[in-house]
Amino acid sequence: MRAARLIKMVLLLQSRPSMTAAELARELEVSERTVTRDAQALSEAGVPVYANRGRAGGYRLIGGYRTRLTGLARGEAEALFLSGVPGALREMGLEDAASAARLKVSAALLPSLSDASRAAAQRFHLDAPSWFTEPKTPELLPAVADAVWDDRRVVARYRRGDSDVERELEPYGLVLKAGVWYLCARVAAGDSFRVYRIDRFTAVDPAASDERFTRREDFDLPAFWEDRAEQFARSILRAEVVVRVSPDGARRLPYAVDPTAAREALELAGVPDDGGDGWVTVTLPVESEEVAHGQLAGLGPEVEVLAPASLRARFAEDAVRLAALYRP
């Protein structure tokens, strides 16, 4: 346990100019006193850890000290080779860089871990695109990825309806969702962050003089994307339907409509209806009556539409037509 902590401490100090005892304690989940003891132990073992005292003090490594990755366990080494998504790296133009990095890591591993790359690749594979779709790599994705890596402002033109719109953007991060690439960017003329589909860009050019921007320290790409994705999912649910579902229909409902909306609606449904058959009445947010008709039809006789009346009439008509088709 302590050996793993000491290795992590060295790697932390190796990746930053210096760290305070409080910062190290937070990263290592120990007390500052333990950090002091660990630094002393590393120094006694020959690792050049130097402590600066005072308000601006902290711990740092001196003499350009670097450690090799020979402290990796097998599980850690195999997990390392799972961190990349080969298809996504290829689409961003980073396949060669990623391949070189894997080779360098493999060369630094102990001989007993030399098969970690193959072991991981043969056990786990990520296929990001959805079924029944032919993924197409956006032509401008590599240019956008370069700007993201370099923190470089770009002037982007993209399709919005029947016209093209031009914006100067600060590209913060890329997201691959169900085979579709999105750019999370800050509009340079304001202070708002927006999400753009890369396949709708018609041009991406460097801003004047290849100007770079300073990233906001409080920007968290995963948290930003999660928030925007939830907002988008809720924004398209503009209508409501009232339905009765059987116990089997309740189990299948999250697979037929928006999963989050279905689960929340079922939680609010309360006790089953009178009759003892377990049916419950739920008020369900949906995108539109047309979309709800197609989604709920997949539940067959496990759902009854109560409102709106127009949607109930459509299901009644469906029932008559189905009865005619299946009449003996």
Side-chain angles (χ1 to χ4, degrees):
M1 179 69 177
R2 191 190 185 197
R5 190 175 71 243
L6 292 175
I7 292 173
K8 185 177 180 180
M9 184 174 179
V10 173
L11 293 174
L12 285 169
L13 294 174
Q14 187 171 292
S15 64
R16 308 180 193 181
S18 68
M19 294 183 69
T20 65
E23 290 172 336
L24 284 168
R26 185 166 56 252
E27 292 282 352
L28 300 171
E29 298 181 347
V30 296
S31 66
E32 293 185 30
R33 180 172 295 182
T34 299
V35 168
T36 301
R37 288 198 297 264
D38 286 351
Q40 180 66 30
L42 288 171
S43 180
E44 292 174 356
V47 178
V49 178
Y50 180 77
N52 288 319
R53 303 192 179 277
R55 174 176 293 182
Y59 292 92
R60 64 185 179 90
L61 295 175
I62 60 176
Y65 179 84
R66 308 290 291 178
T67 181
R68 289 170 57 86
L69 292 174
T70 50
L72 286 175
R74 169 165 291 277
E76 295 169 334
E78 291 174 347
L80 180 64
F81 287 100
L82 289 175
S83 60
V85 184
L89 292 170
R90 181 172 58 253
E91 292 178 6
M92 289 189 291
L94 300 174
E95 184 177 27
D96 290 343
S99 177
R102 286 193 294 268
L103 286 173
K104 290 179 180 179
V105 172
S106 296
L109 294 174
L110 291 171
S112 60
L113 302 178
S114 60
D115 65 337
S117 174
R118 185 177 184 280
Q122 293 303 316
R123 286 167 174 79
F124 301 97
H125 176 68
L126 176 60
D127 186 8
S130 301
W131 285 102
F132 313 118
T133 59
E134 185 65 31
K136 295 182 179 179
T137 302
E139 182 181 348
L140 296 173
L141 177 61
V144 176
D146 284 344
V148 170
W149 276 116
D150 293 341
D151 294 339
R152 190 174 65 250
R153 287 187 178 184
V154 296
V155 176
R157 290 195 299 275
Y158 62 96
R159 295 188 303 275
R160 190 169 69 182
D162 297 329
S163 61
D164 275 12
V165 178
E166 185 173 286
R167 292 281 187 275
E168 185 173 336
L169 303 175
E170 296 178 354
Y172 269 68
L174 287 168
V175 175
L176 177 61
K177 170 72 172 180
V180 179
W181 284 96
Y182 297 88
L183 172 67
C184 302
R186 180 173 176 266
V187 181
D191 195 36
S192 61
F193 284 87
R194 300 181 184 178
V195 177
Y196 302 87
R197 279 184 60 143
I198 302 296
D199 57 9
R200 292 181 182 168
F201 284 161
T202 58
V204 175
D205 300 312
S209 304
D210 268 357
E211 183 181 359
R212 285 173 167 76
F213 64 93
T214 302
R215 298 177 68 92
R216 281 177 42 173
E217 294 294 332
D218 60 348
F219 181 80
D220 184 329
L221 180 61
F224 172 80
W225 176 258
E226 182 179 3
D227 179 64
R228 289 303 172 93
E230 183 178 350
Q231 288 182 26
F232 172 76
R234 292 184 180 277
S235 69
I236 63 175
L237 303 179
R238 302 186 182 93
E240 282 187 348
V241 299
V242 181
V243 299
R244 292 178 68 243
V245 291
S246 68
D248 185 49
R251 284 191 293 271
R252 293 163 54 189
L253 190 62
Y255 302 98
V257 299
D258 180 82
T260 302
R263 294 188 184 99
E264 291 178 354
L266 289 168
E267 289 175 1
L268 296 173
V271 297
D273 300 343
D274 295 336
D277 51 7
W279 285 61
V280 294
T281 299
V282 299
T283 300
L284 185 67
V286 294
E287 185 174 345
S288 66
E289 184 175 317
E290 182 71 27
V291 171
H293 178 254
Q295 292 174 329
L296 295 174
L299 297 180
E302 307 305 323
V303 62
E304 177 191 2
V305 175
L306 303 179
S310 55
L311 183 58
R312 181 177 175 86
R314 294 180 67 170
F315 273 90
E317 182 182 348
D318 290 347
V320 171
R321 294 175 61 191
L322 282 170
L325 285 174
Y326 290 96
R327 182 178 298 117

